[in-house]
């Protein structure tokens, strides 16, 4: 028997109803309680579980008078069964949108830098041209964006790729520039440009410890034999600005993002002359040529702006 025929026989032996009942029994710890919740006879649930164990050729549950417990194989199946059922629910939701008039669906994960600086205008222009396409956009750290594309949770990723993308493909999207943000009147604000290493005597307000900006700052400090005096971590750029305005430290963020946040506080931006302060934001996919038509349309739209500087593309 070939591997493919073996896989087909395996999927034929497993039915979704049995998986649903198995998950219900695991969640409630009892065949009887699962039967009541699913409106099915307890004997029928027990028979399906026995058939499932026979199909998998391994015990899934320890049965006792108080209910059931999972075997190691059962714990593994529960994880995969939940994943399968969740994917089916998501598929049903997406297909129902097609029936309602949607003609395409693209799942996009992007970094906060891409979302704040560029995507509102770019996605708005795309939807204006293709109103029948639905875009699901989620904000994640750059490393998580890459992982989501690798695992198939996203069709397209948009992020800084300095930490690598494995076997994914990448196309240029935009370039941004990191600057130092200081409260008005701060000693560092008197300079036109500064090396990041020269800021390390001051307290810092940093983004998430796994963000690409913070990782670049940490590596630059380590290269100089120093550490960052990190007073606080924040999860958003607006929170960073408010902290800096209240003199809790200085911080690093993309210049365009800072320019877009009018009125957040009395702040000044100082250019960073480090080479890593100029960053490339890229589109990543497992294989651009095999993306669905609507996703390829979105890629074409986004890469049309790739050569434009941030100010011209705004």
């Amino acid at each position: 028997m070939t591997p493919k025929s073996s896989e087909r026989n395996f999927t034929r032996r497993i039915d979704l109803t049995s998986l649903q009942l198995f998950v219900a029994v695991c969640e409630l710890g009892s065949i009887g309680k699962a039967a009541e919740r699913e409106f099915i006879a307890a004997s029928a649930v027990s028979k399906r579980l026995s058939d499932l164990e026979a199909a998998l050729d391994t015990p899934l549950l320890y049965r006792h008078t108080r209910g059931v417990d999972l075997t190691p194989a059962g714990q593994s199946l529960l994880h995969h069964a939940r994943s399968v059922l969740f994917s089916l629910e998501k598929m049903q939701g997406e297909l129902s949108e097609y029936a309602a008039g949607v003609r395409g669906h693209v799942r996009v994960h992007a970094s906060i830098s891409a979302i704040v600086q560029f995507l509102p205008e770019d996605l708005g222009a795309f939807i204006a041209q293709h109103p029948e396409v639905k875009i699901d956009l989620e904000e994640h750290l750059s490393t998580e964006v890459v992982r989501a594309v690798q695992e198939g949770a996203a069709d397209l990723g948009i992020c800084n790729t300095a930490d690598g993308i494995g076997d994914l493909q990448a196309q240029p999207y935009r370039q941004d520039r990191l600057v130092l943000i200081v409260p008005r009147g701060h000693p560092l604000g008197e300079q036109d440009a500064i090396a990041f290493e020269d800021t390390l005597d001051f307290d810092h307000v940093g983004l998430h410890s796994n963000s690409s900006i913070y990782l670049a700052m940490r590596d630059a400090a380590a290269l100089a034999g120093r550490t960052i005096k990190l007073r606080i971590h924040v999860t958003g750029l607006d929170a960073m600005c408010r902290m800096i305005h209240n003199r809790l430290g200085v911080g690093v963020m993309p210049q365009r993002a800072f320019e877009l946040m009018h009125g957040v506080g009395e702040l000044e931006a100082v250019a960073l002359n480090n080479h890593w302060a100029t960053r490339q934001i890229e589109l990543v996919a497992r294989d651009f040529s095999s993306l669905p038509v609507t996703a390829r349309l979105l890629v074409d739209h986004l890469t049309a702006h790739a050569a434009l500087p941030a100010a011209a593309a705004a």
Side-chain angles (χ1 to χ4, degrees), residues 163 196 209-210 212-224 226-228 276:
D163 294 324
F196 175 74
S209 59
N210 288 325
S212 60
I213 293 178
Y214 182 75
L215 292 175
M217 293 165 54
R218 185 198 63 188
D219 292 345
L223 193 62
R226 304 281 302 278
T227 58
I228 302 172
W276 51 264

Side-chain angles (χ1 to χ4, degrees), residues 57 89 116 123 209 229 305:
D57 195 26
E89 290 177 3
V116 171
L123 294 183
S209 59
K229 294 181 178 180
H305 299 291

